Amino acid sequence: MDMEISEFAQLLKASRNLVVFTGAGISTESGIPDFRSPGGLWEKNKPIDFSDFMQSEEARRESWRRKFAMDSVLSGADPNKGHLAISSLYNNGRVRAVITQNIDGLHQQSGVRDEDVIELHGNTTYAKCLSCHERMSLDDVRKIFEQDEALPVCGTCGGIVKTATISFGQAMPVAEMRRAEALAQSADLFLAIGSSLVVYPAAEIPLLAKRSGAKLIILNREPTPLDEYADLVLRREIGETLDFVTKM
Ligand code: NAD
């Protein structure tokens, strides 16, 4: 066994308050492309900024087109070894909650209770009115959109409807950010997995943990801007690494 893995295992074993933070990289092994890897979504579709979504009907149409095109990938995706390793730590009482930037619901599918998954960037499995926050099912949105790409409006207040995700330029969810910050401040070990750690303010959370006294481990195939602050950086594949280390 190499030094990195044995150090990872020792840090895990010694931790009494482990917090896990994930990004799109944990779901690539489930067949969901991330943003910034070669061939990732960033190269194909530049994200639609929230202000464009609000101002332009065409931007709203494009975002629903992308959403429904992506749904066939999402609906076929199952949790992979990485998700399952985290849920086994959670089920053993080693991890209290998972903070995620992901919107795919795979941590919940892997067995982490919904209330213990803190979704910083929302969830793509339902839609919401941006004015009165009434939920709308995606089936209902799809039925409307299939008629000449008509845009859905809220049945209660007539407001603009959007997937329940947080776009670039959109305000972060306040309660989720507070919970994530509190968890980061109380952690003794913080594990950042599969994130390029360039999307702010989410990327502040691992730094907050480090500044509050936690040890920081970064598991990501590529370098990140926070590597210099980490106690341990593992440039490895997520699934096999977590599967191996959590079974030691
Ligand atoms: P990102 O695409 O910027 O970074 C992902 C990182 O994961 C990359 O640095 C890549 O090298 C690494 N990676 C990918 N697969 C890996 C593997 N198997 N093993 C090791 N490393 C691997 O993603 P981000 O930092 O999460 O930020 C992008 C934003 O994209 C987030 O806000 C997120 O909401 C959104 N997003 C979510 C999903 C999802 O829900 N699955 C998918 C795409 C984008």
Side-chain angles (χ1 to χ4, degrees), residues 24 28-29 35-36 101 103-104 121 195-196 220-222:
T28 56
E29 292 170 43
F35 261 162
R36 290 179 184 77
Q101 298 169 87
I103 54 174
D104 55 29
H121 294 160
S195 174
S196 56
N220 201 61
R221 174 198 285 156
E222 287 171 299

Side-chain angles (χ1 to χ4, degrees), residues 33-47:
D34 63 9
F35 261 162
R36 290 179 184 77
S37 286
L41 294 174
W42 199 273
E43 280 178 13
K44 293 183 189 130
N45 292 317
K46 198 124 187 48

